[in-house]
Amino acid sequence: MIDRYCVFGHPVTHSKSPAIHAAFAEQTGEAIEYTAIEAPLEDFAGAWRRFVAEGGRGANVTVPFKEEAFRLCDTLSLRARRAGAVNTLILGGNGLSNELKVYGDTTDGVGLVRDLKRHGVTLAGARLLVLGAGGAVRGVLEPLLAEEPASLLVANRTAAKAEALAADFRELGEIAGGGFDAVVGQFDAVINGTSASLAGDLPPLPEGLFAPEAIAYDMMYGAEPTVFLRWAVEHGAQPVDGLGMLVEQAAESFFQWRGKRPATGPVLKALRHSL
């Protein structure tokens, strides 16, 4: 019997996840089937239930369903609970009955941290700037703070939203929030978690933002550098897009489903070549 997994999204036809997980399965010798399913906007829960009824064992969840996935879980990881969103669903018995429980996790932050480290970024003691205050940013703050940076500033067009987000995570480390006018000084890593790159826009950032040898990281990716990464290069930063984060978060999901940790380097290289 081949175990079935999928990624839910709307839209989802562009997703790289089926190719990534097919490569992981081949590499590890796991017999799985992984597909992309476009769930109806008004009935994500129904799509998940139908998938389970047809033999589904787990799923990745992308926009716009991560908050809905959070709500349908029976149990949640601590990081998913803090993020208020889930990108990995795991179906399994609770050990007490034949009833199947749904466990939810978010692997985005783990994926980001691992990719940053692959690029030689030392997060401990670093000054971090994270742009945006939406779900993408909320999902990565706990793993970033766990690395014990010297400071982490969340900057957003709406200052109050960034301030509220920072307050939610204040017990975990040195974090503050504000508008883009609060961006003062130099940073060792600047992470763009806004959707501005999708529209070809650039957040209003000051000159002199990057410390020597700083990295500029965009959670978005594409065949060509985003406008944020092009701007960062012009201002002396090393550019990195979010393709590695995508592969690393997928590897963490795969590990949770199958108990095997795939090598991400070869998969990332092949994926990059295919863009």
Side-chain angles (χ1 to χ4, degrees):
M1 177 76 77
I2 294 180
D3 289 337
R4 295 186 61 204
Y5 300 88
C6 75
V7 56
F8 287 107
H10 191 107
V12 79
T13 54
H14 66 285
S15 176
K16 306 291 186 186
S17 293
I20 293 171
H21 284 279
F24 289 164
E26 182 178 5
Q27 182 191 120
T28 58
E30 292 292 294
I32 72 167
E33 176 186 276
Y34 189 108
T35 56
I37 297 177
E38 184 163 309
L41 288 174
E42 68 284 355
D43 192 26
F44 166 73
W48 163 252
R49 286 193 296 270
R50 286 190 292 274
F51 180 66
V52 171
E54 294 165 2
R57 299 297 305 169
N60 287 127
V61 184
T62 187
V63 291
F65 299 123
K66 291 184 180 183
E67 288 77 18
E68 277 194 75
F70 175 90
R71 291 193 290 271
L72 66 75
C73 291
D74 298 300
T75 56
L76 292 158
S77 68
L78 179 58
R79 61 194 181 195
R81 198 173 296 122
R82 286 191 186 277
V86 157
N87 81 334
T88 303
L89 295 170
I90 306 161
L91 193 69
N94 63 3
L96 300 175
S97 71
N98 292 325
E99 184 182 0
L100 292 176
K101 298 292 186 180
V102 182
Y103 175 78
D105 193 14
T106 178
T107 64
D108 289 331
V110 172
L112 172 62
V113 168
R114 287 184 183 153
D115 198 37
L116 285 167
K117 289 182 176 181
R118 188 212 331 274
H119 288 279
V121 179
T122 300
L123 293 168
R127 290 195 68 202
L128 306 181
L129 171 62
V130 181
L131 308 175
V137 168
R138 176 175 281 275
V140 304
L141 289 180
E142 180 173 350
L144 285 173
L145 289 168
E147 297 295 318
E148 299 184 346
S151 63
L152 191 159
L153 174 63
V154 178
N156 189 56
R157 207 171 292 273
T158 305
K161 192 173 181 182
E163 291 164 1
L165 184 56
D168 288 345
F169 289 84
R170 192 150 289 141
E171 66 187 78
L172 300 181
E174 291 295 323
I175 183 171
F180 288 118
D181 58 353
V183 178
V184 177
Q186 293 189 322
F187 297 86
D188 302 301
V190 179
I191 301 165
N192 183 23
T194 73
S195 58
S197 291
L198 292 175
D201 295 331
L202 183 71
L205 300 171
E207 301 287 328
L209 180 67
F210 298 106
E213 302 181 3
I215 194 167
Y217 195 102
D218 200 324
M219 291 189 194
M220 303 295 174
Y221 65 88
E224 301 296 329
T226 64
V227 63
F228 168 72
L229 292 182
R230 292 197 301 271
W231 181 87
V233 168
E234 292 170 0
H235 291 79
Q238 174 189 344
V240 180
D241 71 10
L243 192 64
M245 175 181 172
L246 174 70
V247 175
E248 292 292 346
Q249 65 82 21
E252 180 67 15
S253 294
F254 189 90
F255 173 73
Q256 294 201 36
W257 292 328
R258 311 303 296 181
K260 294 183 179 179
R261 193 172 294 284
T264 53
V267 179
L268 177 56
K269 184 177 180 180
L271 202 59
R272 177 75 65 190
H273 185 71
S274 72
L275 289 181

